[in-house]
Amino acid sequence: MYCRGVNRTDRLYALVEHLRACAPRRVSARALAARFEVSVRTIERDLAALQQGGVPIYADVGRAGGYTLDKSRTLPPLNFTPAEAVAVAISLGRAEGSPFSRSARTALQKIVAAMSAADGASARELAGRIRLLAPLEDDEPASVPAVLEEAVSTRRVVRLAYIDKDGTETERDVEPVAFTGGTHAWYLIGWCRLRGDARVFRIDRVRRAALLEETAPERSFEDITETPPNAVVRALEFI
């Protein structure tokens, strides 16, 4: 049995690990509620929160139904030290405004959920003593980075409402090729059909973005000759 008074974060971690241990067997919400000494409604809220955070938990309805976790798509407890976890959190925290900001948040949730309860608590305590400076929020729609991420990931043409450096807004269809980022800004590199040429778009100047149904032609980064000013482009190291 679980102990009453355990905080929700530790319970969520324990819930994931219990489902991992039981997989592929399904466990009912009633059985989980009894194990963790909370109500069925609380367990269902916890499971919904984990699902929204990207944990692959699946439910079957009916008398023989219950919840199960896809072990092939989750991590076992990680051997991160609290300091290492916070270092990852700092890096992911600086992804705000990047095309992968949404994925960075879900990645961090998965990392914390996979740590041991003690290390997770130490990491949260250490993170509580760190502050990041960020610019004031502007009126950029929050959906823009997510739309651009999907455009590059699925290689679909995207329609942009874009404001250039002189403040002029234009609408243009772009065949996405790659992202590049520096200290102060992220850029979408693609083939602009309005100009009939390669172009680099600052993401914070994109006011609206909509995916089109059309798949963009295959283009490599080397096909794009223009790069952001005063910058040297290097590949992302992924080891």
Side-chain angles (χ1 to χ4, degrees):
M1 299 295 289
Y2 212 60
C3 297
R4 290 183 180 275
V6 171
N7 67 51
R8 185 173 186 243
T9 300
D10 287 342
R11 186 174 69 246
L12 291 177
Y13 165 81
L15 185 55
V16 170
E17 290 311 304
H18 181 65
L19 289 174
R20 189 197 311 282
C22 293
R25 181 169 57 88
R26 285 163 172 72
V27 186
S28 70
R30 187 174 299 278
L32 291 170
R35 177 179 178 82
F36 291 98
E37 299 183 341
V38 294
S39 68
V40 171
R41 189 171 183 178
T42 295
I43 282 292
E44 289 174 340
R45 281 200 299 262
D46 288 350
L47 291 166
L50 289 168
Q51 288 171 325
Q52 291 170 7
V55 180
I57 295 173
Y58 304 100
D60 289 333
V61 297
R63 295 183 63 182
Y67 293 88
T68 188
L69 181 143
D70 185 350
K71 294 174 71 171
S72 68
R73 295 182 55 200
T74 61
L75 295 170
L78 297 179
N79 197 25
F80 276 126
T81 67
E84 288 171 338
V86 170
V88 172
I90 290 172
S91 297
L92 294 177
R94 293 192 180 281
E96 277 304 318
S98 81
F100 293 95
S101 56
R102 180 182 58 178
S103 295
R105 286 191 293 272
T106 59
L108 183 58
Q109 290 168 353
K110 291 177 182 179
I111 288 171
V112 174
M115 293 177 69
S116 71
D119 284 348
S122 296
R124 287 191 293 274
E125 191 278 330
L126 179 57
R129 291 185 271 126
I130 296 171
R131 297 292 185 271
L132 300 177
L133 297 178
L136 295 175
E137 294 293 329
D138 57 22
D139 58 355
E140 177 189 355
S143 63
V144 165
V147 172
L148 298 183
E149 175 189 346
E150 187 172 354
V152 172
S153 298
T154 60
R155 215 178 78 244
R156 284 168 61 186
V157 178
V158 62
R159 180 163 294 162
L160 306 181
Y162 186 73
I163 297 179
D164 65 19
K165 62 181 180 180
D166 299 319
T168 302
E169 180 172 328
T170 55
E171 185 175 275
R172 55 185 81 195
D173 292 351
V174 176
E175 301 169 11
V177 175
F179 291 116
T180 186
T183 304
H184 302 295
W186 276 87
Y187 302 85
L188 170 69
I189 300 176
W191 185 267
C192 176
R193 292 181 173 176
L194 178 66
R195 305 303 184 201
D197 200 358
R199 286 290 186 271
V200 177
F201 303 94
R202 273 186 60 143
I203 290 178
D204 57 1
R205 291 180 181 162
V206 178
R207 286 296 167 260
R208 295 179 301 281
L211 285 176
L212 304 184
E213 294 300 321
E214 181 183 357
T215 300
E218 279 276 10
R219 297 182 190 272
S220 69
F221 184 83
E222 288 68 29
D223 294 331
I224 304 299
T225 58
E226 186 178 350
T227 58
N230 304 318
V232 175
V233 176
R234 62 180 177 84
L236 174 67
E237 295 179 359
F238 194 74
I239 300 174

